[in-house]
Amino acid sequence: MLTRRLVLVLLGTMVLLGVALAAAAGWFTDVDDANEFSADIEWLAAQDITRGCNPPTNDQFCPTNPVTREQMAAFLVRALDLTDNGGGNTFTDDNDSIFENDIAKLATAGITKGCNPPTNDRFC
């Protein structure tokens, strides 16, 4: 459990601080091999936590792009190996998102409750 919490804290810190990490050569084409974070991103890619930013090719990491709430939901679901989506469709504003299933898994796990208390029917 400590390892999962550590991954959660590290991923959250990356977003909050706006740290732009880069991937090692072989994973993503838009990263300098000398980047100090190459080993960390290589590990994240090897663990299938990050998959790239240009589907379906996913050969770019886009290290300067901001991370959205829905993308972070996918990172957390993969890092924590969450599988239960509680039946899906937890929020009313994520129906067109490719990350809707990930968002539902995060909600089912109690990690997110929504962004508009007290109703909390939106993920924002």
Side-chain angles (χ1 to χ4, degrees):
M1 188 66 173
L2 179 60
T3 302
R4 287 184 177 184
R5 285 185 183 159
L6 180 59
V7 170
L8 178 62
V9 168
L10 290 175
L11 287 173
T13 301
M14 287 187 313
V15 171
L16 292 174
L17 297 178
V19 175
L21 301 177
W27 288 101
F28 304 109
T29 61
D30 61 345
V31 174
D32 186 308
D33 293 345
N35 186 290
E36 65 183 300
F37 299 109
S38 293
D40 299 317
I41 296 305
E42 183 175 334
W43 181 85
L44 287 170
Q47 299 302 310
D48 197 34
I49 294 170
T50 187
R51 296 179 179 163
C53 64
N54 60 327
T57 308
N58 286 327
D59 64 350
Q60 295 180 354
F61 183 67
C62 302
T64 60
N65 288 5
V67 176
T68 65
R69 286 174 53 85
E70 64 183 354
Q71 291 167 333
M72 181 51 70
F75 291 147
L76 292 173
V77 164
R78 294 174 199 153
L80 300 172
D81 197 28
L82 301 177
T83 58
D84 183 5
N85 74 358
N89 207 22
T90 308
F91 301 108
T92 61
D93 64 344
D94 66 349
N95 293 338
D96 293 326
S97 172
I98 62 170
F99 300 105
E100 181 178 14
N101 195 40
D102 294 310
I103 294 166
K105 289 175 184 176
L106 215 57
T108 300
I111 296 170
T112 187
K113 295 182 180 183
C115 63
N116 59 324
T119 309
N120 288 324
D121 62 352
R122 294 178 42 226
F123 184 68
C124 300

